[in-house]
Amino acid sequence: MPKELVRVTPARLQRWEDCPRRYRATYLDRPAPARGGAWAHSTLGAVVHNVLRAYFESPPDQRDPEDLPVLLRRYWKGDGFRDREQAAEYRSRAAKWLDEYARRPEAAGEPVALERWVSAPTGALIVEGRVDRIDDRDGQLVVVDYKTGRHVLTTEDARDSRALALYLMAARRTLRRPGSRVELHHLPTGRVVAWDHDAETLAEHRRHAERIAEELSAAASALDRGADPDEHFPPRPGRGCSVCEFRRSCPEGRAAAPDLEPWDLLAP
Ligand code: SF4
């Protein structure tokens, strides 16, 4: 019998690599363990993504940066911020980021897709996921991912992002068009970093994704057979434990990284 294709999203693969225990708590444990509260940086990221989606839904000749404050007001949320003053400060920062971004050349085109679900069989996997934006530039697809965090991006971030590479493969298949470029657009700095993949760099990402998918499938099968969850989904303590939504129920994670305030990871 041919082997069944494993269906994965880049987020699932990343979660497994970060920490198998966190993967199990996120996708397999039912009822799901209690999660921590909202993080201000996640709230801000979601707001900015929603505003940009709404903004780019209009055709280029009807888009006006002056409309952005209205969209920001519509989508704004204050979850996770320290207080009203901090929320207000970041709301005005987001307004500035959005205004500056909307006037850049990268914001002038007409996207082919916004928050589009794409999917493709690639080797032993079916890769799928939701892409922030897909542009068509001179007949070539470009996968665009927005970032709003503290990390200042480099070209290596675009080159090494497995999520972007897998999205590109899935977007080419779903939209049946060629493309090689992936881009990260960092709103707080206005920085755009890009990478042009070729067959070999995509194949390397695909092989790595297949290895990870095989590991997590084997662990899930063992769990179904009643194996010890901690043996097959061990904790992988590290810096990420500070923001893990399951740290309250994970002694190893609490010992590995300090508690953070929900607003500590906002871009400075
Ligand atoms: S706190 Fe750390 S070790 Fe524990 S589940 Fe979360 S990421 Fe894994």
Side-chain angles (χ1 to χ4, degrees):
M1 289 283 288
K3 225 170 144 187
E4 198 181 336
L5 295 181
V6 179
R7 194 173 280 274
V8 289
T9 63
R12 276 181 100 110
L13 297 172
Q14 188 62 53
R15 186 134 292 200
W16 171 268
E17 282 194 282
D18 289 345
C19 174
R21 177 182 283 176
R22 192 177 181 188
Y23 175 92
R24 175 167 63 89
T26 305
Y27 297 111
L28 304 179
D29 285 351
R30 294 296 175 267
R35 294 172 180 241
W39 290 88
H41 67 283
S42 301
T43 302
L44 187 63
V47 167
V48 167
H49 278 70
N50 283 334
V51 170
L52 289 172
R53 189 204 60 238
Y55 180 70
F56 282 105
E57 275 170 354
S58 299
D61 59 348
Q62 290 172 32
R63 264 183 241 144
D64 184 351
E66 303 297 322
D67 294 338
L68 285 165
V70 178
L71 295 174
L72 185 58
R73 208 165 30 247
R74 182 184 307 161
Y75 290 107
W76 182 256
K77 285 186 176 161
D79 301 344
F81 289 94
R82 185 182 57 224
D83 49 32
R84 292 166 72 94
E85 285 71 31
Q86 190 188 49
E89 183 199 329
Y90 274 87
R91 183 165 156 170
S92 60
R93 283 198 205 192
K96 183 167 174 290
W97 300 343
L98 288 161
D99 184 74
E100 289 174 356
Y101 181 72
R103 298 172 196 279
R104 289 180 59 98
E106 293 84 4
E110 182 161 22
V112 195
L114 297 168
E115 297 199 0
R116 169 78 182 258
W117 191 262
V118 290
S119 165
T122 58
L125 303 176
I126 296 176
V127 174
E128 55 192 15
R130 193 182 299 278
V131 186
D132 287 348
R133 198 175 95 204
I134 305 173
D135 289 353
D136 181 336
R137 301 195 204 140
D138 302 322
Q140 295 283 316
L141 296 180
V142 178
V143 167
V144 173
D145 195 38
Y146 304 125
K147 295 290 178 195
T148 56
R150 298 169 68 89
H151 177 62
V152 178
L153 300 170
T154 64
T155 303
E156 286 71 34
D157 291 309
R159 181 194 66 192
D160 297 342
S161 168
R162 185 153 41 260
L164 287 179
L166 296 177
Y167 286 148
L168 177 64
M169 291 181 227
R172 294 199 312 196
R173 170 70 179 232
T174 301
L175 299 172
R176 304 197 177 280
R177 297 194 212 179
S180 60
R181 173 164 285 228
V182 295
E183 291 183 349
L184 293 167
H185 294 193
H186 188 242
L187 273 288
T189 58
R191 190 168 163 74
V192 171
V193 296
W195 182 257
D196 285 297
H197 280 292
D198 58 27
E200 184 45 40
T201 57
L202 287 179
E204 178 52 38
H205 277 291
R206 179 178 53 73
R207 285 192 291 269
H208 191 92
E210 284 174 352
R211 279 198 298 276
I212 302 300
E214 210 163 288
E215 281 176 29
L216 64 87
S217 296
S221 300
L223 194 66
D224 286 344
R225 293 195 303 271
D228 175 10
D230 281 334
E231 183 188 334
H232 294 275
F233 295 85
R236 193 168 289 159
R239 282 189 316 159
C241 295
S242 284
V243 292
C244 175
E245 58 276 62
F246 304 112
R247 68 182 268 117
R248 274 192 294 175
S249 55
C250 179
E252 293 89 342
R254 287 200 306 279
D259 275 322
L260 292 179
E261 299 291 356
W263 51 85
D264 276 348
L265 295 182
L266 286 165

